[in-house]
Amino acid sequence: RSFPYKMPSECMCKCNILLLPPPQTNKKRIKSMFYHAYNSYLDNAFPYDELRPLTCDGQDTWGSFSLTLIDALDTLLVLGNQTEFQRVASILQDTVDFDIDVNASVFETNIRVVGGLLSAHLLAGRAGMELEPGWPCSGPLLRMAAEAARRLIPAFQTPTGMPYGTVNLLHGVSPTETPVTCTAGVGTFILEFATLSRLTGDPTFEDVARRALTALWKTRSDIGLVGNHIDVLSKKWVAQDAGIGAGVDSYFEYLVKGAILLQDEELLNMFHAYDAAIQNYTRFDDWYLWVQMHKGTVSMPIFQSLEAFWPGLQSLLGNLDSAVRTFQNYYSVWRQFGGLPEFYSIPQGYTVDKREGYPLRPELIESAMYLFRATGDHTYLQLGLDALESIEKVSRTPCGYASVKDLRDHQLDNRMESFFLAETIKYLYLLFDPTHFLHGGGMEGDGSWEEGGEGGQCVLGAGGFIFNTEAHPLDPAALYCCSRHSKERQELRDALLSLSHPKKKAGSQSKPADERAGEPPQSQSESIALKPGEKKTLPTLSCPVQPFSARLSVLGQVFSDNS
Ligand code: DMJ
């Protein structure tokens, strides 16, 4: 269907190629942007969650976790700063405490805190940190990530398996908590939670994330769409606008990236089914509108800044033509305002009342990074340069970078969200560094992969990295390696068990996470989830770990030796 209004459709030209400064210059500028913001946070705001860049002080926003420091940690390594990465990693281990009486967003804590700690854990080897013997299947940052995630698990204890939006980290879900959660708040866990399960061998995390995904999938409308907010107790859709932006965005992102990270066809099939409905009902001239989830009628003909991740996601799936055209639409909005307003009315070609701000979001830059990798077209570098220039010009303050309250007159807000350091600057830097190890695909010997695990049996980073929705890279190879070893350990335990208790059915106690997909989760008393007020920290692996060499020798003797 073609959209009935006239679109601004400036063509993208490549005439700027010769005007682009060399990549090294841009990388230097991006680094100095990072350090201006980062040092300002440390000097003025730490240990608060965020910097307030107009008043040069700090505030807690999403919890009380020193959030900006956790979110920025892996960016330090992306920019090549190993020593600061090491210093901050140990500060966080010493200072961050999740045993706190704070109501936290389940979604934000997962993508920023759990995601940030997981990435830092997986990058610790490259950062030159001292690694404990089982790394990457164990390690202090992994234990911290698991501890943070454990505090979120009570939110998933609902009849549907779909989580509440907010949980108290100390007491669990408040009895007065609203059961209404946004779609992304239900479907944005599989990357972090499956990573936790497969690294640690504890299936609880992946189980709850899958159960929530399955429940959400079953609530789609007859025309194949999901709405914006759902009641997690009754499964009733409370807000019925279907689209790809705010409230939904990362649900679709996690179906695709989950499929890639976990080689999971079921997740990909779910995405393809949604995508067919999205293309059919919401796409008009390569824009994506909001429609009523049951009828498909247009409810809001607007583009939201958060939707700008979509061309990048399409490029991951190989839909390049469509991705390029949609990117061009979005880039035309950027050029109109020097940033992306939160909402943009497509028919009016202008901002929407009270949604004129640009809180330094990363999504368009993220898409530019993927599309530059896929096409080599310098248009995407030009967007990067535009972003660099306008952020410097409009948002820089003496102590950081401020969100833009209104793109029409460049008024500023006293806020620098942690995703500015976690995502915006990271994607900008990676856009201008196409051979960075995080892009994967490197050759042996160029530092693009490394060894890990006992005796170096894990080859890490060789298959590239998958970024969570907060731009924290996850390594599929680490997941594969650790779950393979926990499977082997389980087989060994089963073999030993069947010798000492011949009648007990081996393997009946715990299966590896990847084999438990779709099964109902363990009850809370069986799981590692803490009950409200409970302080006990359980070991990540509940059985002693046999070194790989011992396993071989044991296996050699199992059938002839009763010892
Ligand atoms: C980030 O926290 C994540 O990218 C999330 O998925 C959407 N919002 C912000 C960035 O805009």
Side-chain angles (χ1 to χ4, degrees), residues 183-388:
T183 309
V186 176
T188 310
F189 294 92
I190 191 68
L191 292 184
E192 298 81 4
F193 278 30
T195 299
L196 277 172
S197 283
R198 298 195 184 195
L199 295 185
T200 64
D202 184 321
T204 310
F205 305 105
E206 182 166 350
D207 284 350
V208 298
R210 282 193 185 273
R211 187 163 172 247
L213 279 179
T214 307
L216 193 52
W217 170 243
K218 288 183 183 155
T219 63
R220 69 198 184 282
S221 70
D222 291 345
I223 60 172
L225 293 171
V226 282
N228 210 276
H229 279 74
I230 192 162
D231 184 319
V232 299
L233 301 178
S234 67
K235 293 191 258 180
K236 280 216 173 78
W237 283 103
V238 176
Q240 303 194 347
D241 298 295
I244 59 167
V248 195
D249 46 5
S250 47
Y251 170 39
F252 297 135
E253 179 185 355
Y254 273 37
L255 291 178
V256 174
K257 291 182 176 176
I260 301 170
L261 182 73
L262 309 171
Q263 295 292 290
D264 186 321
E265 218 176 327
E266 209 182 328
L267 297 179
L268 193 60
N269 290 339
M270 287 183 194
F271 177 80
H272 281 313
Y274 282 128
D275 194 35
I278 288 166
Q279 300 301 328
N280 195 20
Y281 291 102
T282 77
R283 177 175 162 184
F284 295 87
D285 285 354
D286 300 301
W287 295 89
Y288 291 84
L289 313 185
W290 290 83
V291 304
Q292 211 284 343
M293 64 176 282
H294 297 291
K295 301 185 201 130
T297 47
V298 175
S299 58
M300 289 188 292
I302 58 163
F303 155 63
Q304 298 179 348
S305 166
L306 286 167
E307 295 169 17
F309 79 104
W310 188 260
L313 195 70
Q314 284 185 307
S315 81
L316 279 180
L317 291 158
N319 299 333
L320 267 188
D321 291 346
S322 170
V324 166
R325 288 196 301 270
T326 298
F327 184 92
Q328 286 176 355
N329 283 345
Y330 298 171
Y331 191 10
S332 74
V333 180
W334 181 287
R335 284 196 301 258
Q336 192 178 345
F337 296 99
L340 286 186
E342 288 290 65
F343 285 18
Y344 176 83
S345 162
I346 299 166
Q348 288 167 354
Y350 208 62
T351 55
V352 171
D353 192 31
K354 299 199 174 58
R355 294 284 189 279
E356 299 92 351
Y358 170 57
L360 306 177
R361 290 195 191 281
E363 285 77 7
L364 193 63
I365 301 166
E366 172 186 356
S367 281
M369 180 198 77
Y370 285 113
L371 284 168
F372 181 61
R373 294 268 307 151
T375 65
D377 187 333
H378 283 218
T379 299
Y380 305 108
L381 298 183
Q382 184 61 57
L383 173 275
L385 206 54
D386 290 354
L388 196 51

Side-chain angles (χ1 to χ4, degrees), residues 464-484:
F465 291 80
I466 301 295
F467 292 93
N468 90 336
T469 192
E470 188 77 359
H472 295 304
L474 302 170
D475 179 358
L479 271 67
Y480 170 74
C481 185
C482 294
S483 54
R484 196 187 62 198

Side-chain angles (χ1 to χ4, degrees), residues 103-125:
N103 291 329
S105 157
V106 182
F107 169 86
E108 300 290 355
T109 309
N110 176 50
I111 67 169
R112 303 189 198 212
V113 177
V114 179
L117 291 169
L118 278 175
S119 280
H121 162 73
L122 290 168
L123 295 174

Side-chain angles (χ1 to χ4, degrees), residues 121-122 126 131 133-138 198-199 449-462 475-486 488-489 548:
H121 162 73
L122 290 168
R126 284 175 193 270
L131 302 171
W135 182 89
C137 316
S138 71
R198 298 195 184 195
L199 295 185
W449 61 270
E450 61 178 336
E451 286 182 352
E454 292 155 32
Q457 75 274 46
C458 292
V459 177
L460 300 171
D475 179 358
L479 271 67
Y480 170 74
C481 185
C482 294
S483 54
R484 196 187 62 198
H485 285 287
S486 77
E488 285 169 354
R489 282 195 299 267
F548 191 60

